Amino acid sequence: MTSTTSTDTGPDTSADAPPALVPLHRNWRFQLLWGGAASAMLGTCIADTAYPLLLLAMTGSPSLAGAFGAVQFTVSLLLGIHGGSVADRHDRRRILLLADSARLLAALSIPVALHLHHLTVTHTLLVGAVLGATMAYSGPVRMLVLRSVVPPAQLRQALAQDELRVNGAALAGPPLAGFLLGLGRSVPFLGTVLASLLALGAAWAVRFDSRPNEATGGGRSGGALAGLRHLMADARLRVTLLVPFLLNLAGSAMLLPVMVLLREGGTSSAGIGLALAGEAVGGLLGALLVRRLHRLMAPGRLLVSVAWVSVPLFLVPTLAGGPVVVFGTLAVMMLGVPALRVMVDVLIFQQVPEELRGRVIAATMTVFMLGVPAGTFGAGLLLEHLAAGTTLRLFAALLAVALLPPTFSRALRRATWPA
């Protein structure tokens, strides 16, 4: 008779243990897509400076130089809602590849036309329209793709890293465009071609789950405006949208009076450009504070606090001028903005049904974008009749009044971070 000794120590739970998360810096799909998106953003920021300078050199008309940005922005705004609907209904990888291919071809057409001496104002403005359209269709898709390659537990960290992309490109793009333009008229546009090619290569190289969930209707229910209706139906979401809209409006309105004050104080064009770079520097530093600010404050308190900090900062350039003061003011104003952008993703985009998410993202981006032309136009209109300092004080007062309803909103005070 053979005796046996049991070595059973209980049920094996190793198969039930969740797999360990790969650190985000080793997630090659995310990092490659992030690099492609960063390249596309840098190309956009170079283009935003280089194209108006090219039109100014071609025509000598400041209005035509400004028309490029106006056309690009208008097309992006008009197509934004439709871009979200397309993202909810069709293969997202294919949309991204098509958008990046269109951006590449549009960018390539400029140096080719310059080489052939056939570049016209109409051609350049059409390129602006194409770039605006690619932003409308690729923007929601890039945010959806992020969720396909990053686990939910790392999404906030990935969004914070994405803020580095946005603000880094905003900081590097304008001076890089000026430097490249100094090397030759075609050089900055060849730079945008290279940036577009890198973005397209990254989108082509990475495979991810890119098809809408057919089990939930594939995004076909509710129509293109379903995302906007979803946002407007919830009091908490309405207030959450209102505050960033006000900040966008006020922030864009601040820049023109500040530039007038600096010019009146004898600051050179280069000095004004460096002073305005404070915005991007503040955004870069703010990206590093996202997780800390989210730990310190509930969503409603964070939203209202960042907004109220901007009110007294509007008055600083009127009390102590100079490029250094303006640089510091803009940097401080932007410190909390990346935390707000990530907060919008956490509170809104992550909480909506998958089949509606693209349209909600597009509707949110469209509402935020509306504040930019409203603020710029309003500031220009006021500066026709008021001094720059008076205009800043008036906008500070209007922002303070507009922030009173969100400050006392019960829905906003009750908002909490999702578990």
Side-chain angles (χ1 to χ4, degrees):
M1 182 173 182
T2 306
S3 64
T4 60
T5 304
S6 174
T7 58
D8 185 10
T9 58
D12 181 8
T13 60
S14 60
D16 300 326
L21 287 177
V22 176
L24 195 63
H25 69 272
R26 289 172 50 196
N27 183 337
W28 73 268
R29 291 198 302 164
F30 166 70
Q31 295 299 344
L32 190 56
L33 284 172
W34 182 88
S39 180
M41 178 63 71
L42 181 60
T44 298
C45 292
I46 291 173
D48 288 345
T49 300
Y51 282 102
L53 290 175
L54 176 65
L55 285 168
L56 189 61
M58 288 170 59
T59 66
S61 169
S63 60
L64 283 176
F68 178 86
V71 168
Q72 179 178 285
F73 187 89
T74 301
V75 171
S76 181
L77 195 63
L78 291 176
L79 295 178
I81 297 294
H82 187 251
S85 179
V86 169
D88 276 339
R89 297 183 179 192
H90 300 286
D91 187 289
R92 291 155 187 172
R93 184 170 181 268
R94 185 174 300 169
I95 296 168
L96 195 56
L97 289 171
L98 288 172
D100 285 344
S101 297
R103 183 189 297 110
L104 173 62
L105 293 174
L108 183 60
S109 73
I110 296 294
V112 170
L114 282 171
H115 178 71
L116 298 174
H117 304 288
H118 287 311
L119 183 64
T120 64
V121 171
T122 301
H123 178 175
T124 309
L125 295 181
L126 284 174
V127 168
V130 172
L131 295 181
T134 62
M135 291 165 61
Y137 289 102
S138 66
V141 169
R142 289 192 190 280
M143 300 189 75
L144 291 169
V145 167
L146 190 67
R147 289 158 172 78
S148 298
V149 298
V150 174
Q154 294 178 330
L155 191 55
R156 197 174 304 195
Q157 181 185 354
L159 291 167
Q161 181 174 326
D162 208 46
E163 288 296 316
L164 294 174
R165 168 182 70 89
V166 174
N167 293 288
L171 180 62
L176 184 56
F179 171 75
L180 294 175
L181 200 58
L183 299 178
R185 196 164 64 152
S186 297
V187 177
F189 307 104
L190 292 173
T192 63
V193 170
L194 177 60
S196 300
L197 183 61
L198 291 174
L200 177 61
W204 179 83
V206 178
R207 302 283 177 172
F208 52 86
D209 183 13
S210 61
R211 295 186 178 182
N213 189 348
E214 295 295 335
T216 57
R220 288 174 171 78
S221 61
L225 295 177
L228 189 59
R229 287 196 296 269
H230 177 86
L231 294 170
M232 294 298 106
D234 188 304
R236 179 175 60 83
L237 296 184
R238 288 199 301 270
V239 178
T240 303
L241 284 178
L242 174 63
V243 176
F245 168 80
L246 291 173
L247 287 177
N248 269 356
L249 188 151
S252 59
M254 182 183 190
L255 295 181
L256 191 55
V258 162
M259 286 190 282
V260 171
L261 284 175
L262 289 173
R263 177 67 72 185
E264 291 174 349
T267 305
S268 66
S269 297
I272 292 174
L274 289 173
L276 298 183
E279 244 187 341
V281 172
L284 279 172
L285 296 175
L288 305 176
L289 299 175
V290 169
R291 297 177 71 181
R292 179 172 297 180
L293 289 175
H294 283 198
R295 284 197 303 266
L296 288 175
M297 289 185 270
R301 183 182 172 193
L302 174 63
L303 190 62
V304 171
S305 299
V306 172
W308 275 106
V309 164
S310 298
V311 174
L313 290 175
F314 262 81
L315 305 177
V316 172
T318 69
L319 302 173
V324 175
V325 171
V326 169
F327 180 95
T329 300
L330 294 176
V332 173
M333 189 177 287
M334 282 294 296
L335 284 176
V337 172
L340 291 192
R341 285 199 281 246
V342 176
M343 185 204 76
V344 167
D345 194 294
V346 172
L347 287 187
I348 300 179
F349 303 158
Q350 293 183 36
Q351 309 308 313
V352 299
E354 167 66 24
E355 67 271 15
L356 195 61
R357 189 168 288 149
R359 282 166 288 177
V360 169
I361 290 173
T364 303
M365 293 167 65
T366 301
V367 170
F368 290 173
M369 287 172 65
L370 282 171
V372 177
T376 303
F377 178 76
L381 196 61
L382 288 174
L383 285 170
E384 292 286 338
H385 307 283
L386 301 174
T390 304
T391 300
L392 285 174
R393 286 188 285 270
L394 180 58
F395 269 107
L398 292 174
L399 179 60
V401 171
L403 286 175
L404 290 176
T407 302
F408 295 104
S409 166
R410 289 185 179 180
L412 199 56
R413 287 202 305 269
R414 292 172 179 170
T416 57
W417 296 113

